[in-house]
């Protein structure tokens, strides 16, 4: 029996959902419909899911009865074929399911019954082929994971994704807030012990995985550089310690191969004054040979070069810069001569580098973006801030950190410890933001969209993890174990993209980030829900952001941040009863930080977990309540 229905777009009732939520059906899908109201002329109001449509009936039906239909056609009008029914309100679901399985000739397995029960309860449109494929997937899922698997299958049906194990794993990983650390470690171990992967490919992927695992490498490398430079320029240090430091800097490509303790002052002065001269228009370049100042450079030229370096140096405070420039200007007005000029240039150079190093140790994240990093570019004789130069500098810093960490020299080990301590002390919101950006660049999560960018740097994009793994998967010589691990990793990176989406003006964005700070692992999942403005940009005045965190010390923690007209309310869910006392001292910093970017903090709440729903949303009970019903309010 065929029941032609009028188009859901052409004739929705007043109770229909928003057009942006319009149900889109395709041939072969099974849908559940209920006769809501009968009209003359054998027409009726039929509800399918959350939508009501006017249907033309070929046979009489009874209001209140429900049917299972199969979509037999969508053009020129929607046509539904009854496959089971009518089902009255009093009929048990078990009877409905048995009749449906017989009508659709479905296997009566435990997995199919569980799947059909879920599909019937949630009114999910699925084809017979889709049901069979989903049942096969369920058979390979442990009983403890069935709930997550069913939710993943529902999401796959909504997104019209093929019912594959890779897609299901990816969505389960996001919905269960499963972190990426374990899958990263598994891939790394496989690569290190697999002989089917070429050495160049293996090294490239392992290097990228290291960037993901250590997002603070640049900041820590800057701090290590600052620490060893301070040691090198400290005359109180032993000759043996300073010699080991010179060797370390040479091995990392930061100082020229010919550098020694004896010619270090000349090397530093030569590199800096040569670079400074190149930056000044109309000033002759200095010719540097074997680290010695060229005889063609006059004392005034050397001082003018240093002046250019100081003026461009962002790693100095205003008072430090003014003091150095005052000294240099005085010397330019009355220039020294001979060996005295060389000695003065060397002293100013070393003082400049030492000041920059000390400032970087005090604020290593500032050095990451400009301070000692730009100084390092100068020392390398590269200058500028081009992408190529930035890549070279990042490579040198990473090499320096790696060599310093593996060094057995006590002074160098001590320098690494002090550098890590300075970075740990300086970690703030900006630092975490930079770490997350580093991880996303290294992972290449948005690899496909980045390729479509107007000024896409294809070479640098290809160095991220996702395209590297895609190339690895296509390699016919790679072992099945490595290929499967790479496919699983790519699938997990696609999971947040699949679960992100839009519903009219409402948007949801999901991100998963594996963080590691000095051996402490943090798995973070972020869900942003908000709306888009007419110009296509995110409306920053209204949003809800959920942070699901698995922290080293605090274990599972959820932060619920709600923004209404730029007024922010934060709720922290955690089972630790001491968390309120920990949070109180920093609430002022939170308020100040929000006000600095145009937001107002309404209040901060601390609540305990009571239970978790299948979707992972916390159901909580309030542990700490004052007379106003909040923990603390600003």
């Amino acid at each position: 029996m065929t029941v032609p229905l009028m188009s859901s777009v052409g004739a929705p009732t007043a109770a229909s959902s928003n057009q942006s939520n319009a149900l889109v059906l395709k041939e072969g899908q099974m849908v559940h419909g209920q006769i809501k109201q009968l009209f003359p002329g054998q027409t009726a109001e039929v509800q399918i899911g959350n939508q009501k449509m006017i249907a033309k009936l070929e046979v009489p039906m009874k209001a209140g009865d429900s049917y299972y239909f199969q979509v037999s056609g969508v053009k020129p009008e929607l046509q539904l074929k009854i496959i089971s029914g009518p089902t009255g309100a009093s009929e048990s679901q078990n009877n409905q399911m048995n009749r449906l399985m017989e009508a659709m000739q479905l296997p009566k397995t435990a997995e199919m019954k569980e799947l059909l029960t879920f599909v019937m309860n949630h009114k999910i449109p699925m084809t017979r082929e889709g049901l069979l494929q989903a049942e096969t997937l369920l058979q390979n899922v442990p009983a403890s994971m069935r709930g997550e698997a069913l939710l993943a299958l529902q999401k796959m049906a909504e997104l019209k994704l093929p019912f594959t194990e890779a897609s299901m794993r990816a969505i389960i990983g996001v919905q269960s807030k499963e972190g990426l650390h374990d899958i990263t470690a598994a891939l790394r171990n496989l690569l290190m012990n697999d002989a089917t992967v070429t050495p160049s490919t293996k090294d490239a992927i392992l290097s990228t995985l290291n960037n993901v695992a250590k997002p603070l490498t640049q900041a820590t490398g800057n701090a290590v550089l600052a620490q060893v430079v301070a040691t090198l320029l400290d005359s109180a240090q032993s000759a043996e310690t300073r010699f080991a430091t010179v060797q370390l800097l040479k091995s990392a490509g930061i100082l020229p191969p010919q550098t020694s303790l004896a010619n270090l002052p000349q090397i530093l002065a030569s590199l800096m004054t040569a670079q400074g001269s190149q930056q000044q228009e109309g000033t002759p370049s200095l010719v540097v040979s074997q680290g010695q100042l060229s005889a063609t450079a006059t004392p005034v030229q050397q001082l003018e070069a240093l002046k250019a370096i100081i003026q461009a140096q962002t790693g100095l405070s205003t008072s430090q810069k003014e003091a150095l420039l005052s000294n240099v200007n005085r010397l330019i007005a009355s220039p020294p001569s001979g060996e005295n000029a060389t000695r003065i240039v060397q002293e100013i150079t070393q003082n400049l580098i030492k000041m920059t190093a000390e400032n970087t140790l005090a604020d290593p994240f500032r050095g990451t973006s400009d301070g000692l990093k730009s100084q390092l570019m100068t020392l390398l004789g590269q200058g500028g801030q081009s992408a190529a130069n930035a890549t070279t500098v990042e490579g040198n810093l990473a090499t320096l950190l790696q060599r310093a960490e593996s060094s057995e020299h006590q002074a160098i080990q001590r320098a690494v410890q002090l550098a890590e301590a300075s970075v740990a002390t300086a970690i703030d919101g900006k630092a975490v933001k930079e770490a997350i950006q580093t991880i996303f660049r290294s992972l290449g999560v948005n690899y496909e969209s980045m390729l479509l960018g107007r000024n896409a740097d294809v070479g640098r994009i290809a160095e991220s993890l996702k395209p590297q793994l895609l190339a690895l998967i296509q390699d016919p010589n790679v072992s099945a174990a490595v290929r499967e691990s790479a496919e699983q990793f790519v699938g997990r990176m696609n999971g947040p993209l699949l679960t992100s989406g839009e519903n009219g003006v409402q948007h949801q964005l999901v991100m998963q980030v594996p963080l590691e700070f000095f051996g402490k692992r943090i798995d973070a999942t972020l869900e942003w829900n908000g709306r888009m403005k007419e110009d296509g940009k995110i409306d920053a005045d209204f949003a809800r952001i959920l942070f699901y965190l698995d922290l080293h010390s605090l274990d599972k923690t959820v932060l619920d941040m709600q923004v209404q007209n730029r007024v922010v309310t934060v709720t922290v869910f955690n089972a630790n009863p001491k968390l309120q006392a920990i949070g109180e001292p920093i609430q002022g910093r939170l308020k100040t930080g929000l006000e600095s970017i145009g937001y107002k903090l309404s209040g901060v709440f601390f609540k305990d977990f009571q239970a978790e729903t299948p979707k992972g949303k916390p159901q909580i009970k309030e542990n700490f309540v004052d007379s106003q019903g909040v923990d603390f309010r600003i």
Side-chain angles (χ1 to χ4, degrees), residues 72-85:
S72 58
V74 292
K75 293 181 180 180
E77 58 187 3
L78 183 63
Q79 293 184 342
L80 301 179
K81 181 176 69 174
I82 294 177
I83 56 176
S84 178

Side-chain angles (χ1 to χ4, degrees), residues 302-581:
Q302 296 173 26
L303 292 169
E304 288 287 355
L306 279 177
K307 183 177 178 181
I309 291 290
I310 294 168
Q311 289 173 332
Q313 186 55 253
T314 55
L316 298 175
S317 67
T318 302
S319 59
Q320 288 174 328
K321 189 179 294 188
E322 289 176 351
L324 286 170
L325 288 174
S326 176
N327 190 25
V328 172
N329 286 330
R330 178 177 55 81
L331 291 169
I332 290 175
S334 180
S337 59
E339 293 183 0
N340 192 38
T342 301
R343 178 182 58 79
I344 289 174
V345 169
Q346 293 172 1
E347 287 177 355
I348 295 175
T349 299
Q350 293 190 60
N351 195 24
L352 169 60
I353 296 174
K354 189 174 181 180
M355 284 182 180
T356 308
E358 290 171 350
N359 291 348
T360 300
L361 284 174
D363 186 359
F365 291 101
R366 182 184 179 188
T368 302
S369 57
D370 42 37
L372 197 63
K373 187 172 181 178
S374 63
Q375 187 67 55
L376 175 60
M377 285 185 172
T378 301
L379 290 175
L380 292 174
Q382 296 172 331
Q385 294 284 342
S386 68
N389 289 340
T391 302
T392 302
V393 170
E394 289 172 1
N396 283 103
L397 287 177
T399 302
L400 173 65
L401 179 58
Q402 183 180 11
R403 300 283 171 84
E405 288 177 336
S406 61
S407 174
E408 298 181 357
H409 196 281
Q410 284 189 342
I412 295 176
Q413 291 178 353
R414 176 64 177 165
V416 173
Q417 293 171 358
L418 292 173
E420 289 182 347
S422 68
V423 172
T425 302
I427 286 180
D428 56 9
K430 178 183 177 183
V432 174
K433 174 187 173 183
E434 290 185 0
I436 291 175
Q437 289 175 334
T438 297
I439 290 172
F440 270 93
R441 282 196 302 269
S442 299
L443 287 174
V445 174
N446 298 321
Y447 157 67
E448 293 86 354
S449 62
M450 291 170 65
L451 286 176
L452 298 175
R454 182 174 299 177
N455 300 313
D457 186 346
V458 178
R460 193 163 190 183
I461 293 173
E463 294 175 355
S464 58
L465 185 60
K466 191 172 184 179
Q468 289 176 334
L469 293 183
L470 290 173
L472 187 67
I473 292 170
Q474 299 301 319
D475 188 344
N477 300 317
V478 170
S479 67
V482 170
R483 181 177 291 106
E484 182 181 356
S485 181
E487 288 175 345
Q488 187 177 0
F489 205 117
V490 171
R492 286 298 311 279
M493 281 194 282
N494 288 338
L497 302 178
L498 294 176
T499 52
S500 300
E502 61 182 276
N503 185 3
V505 295
Q506 295 297 317
H507 282 61
Q508 175 173 291
L509 176 65
V510 181
M511 294 187 293
Q512 285 193 305
V513 189
L515 296 170
E516 183 171 342
F517 298 139
F518 311 114
K520 295 184 178 181
R521 294 180 7 174
I522 301 172
D523 281 310
T525 298
L526 180 151
E527 290 184 9
W528 174 87
N529 291 276
R531 64 188 189 186
M532 306 296 284
K533 296 188 291 187
E534 292 182 357
D535 60 2
K537 295 182 180 179
I538 290 175
D539 188 345
D541 294 347
F542 300 89
R544 184 180 184 187
I545 308 173
L546 287 163
F547 299 88
Y548 296 88
L549 308 174
D550 192 351
L551 302 171
H552 181 86
S553 300
L554 295 177
D555 297 324
K556 289 187 177 180
T557 305
V558 175
L559 276 71
D560 184 356
M561 175 178 166
Q562 299 193 50
V563 184
Q564 293 292 325
N565 201 23
R566 302 189 77 85
V567 176
V568 179
T569 303
V570 179
T571 305
V572 182
F573 298 103
N574 188 277
N576 191 331
K578 299 179 180 179
L579 195 59
Q580 182 186 18

Side-chain angles (χ1 to χ4, degrees), residues 48 146 201 230 232 271 298 305 342 393 434 619:
I48 299 177
R146 286 287 172 82
T201 300
L232 184 61
L271 292 174
T298 67
T342 301
V393 170
E434 290 185 0
Q619 292 183 340

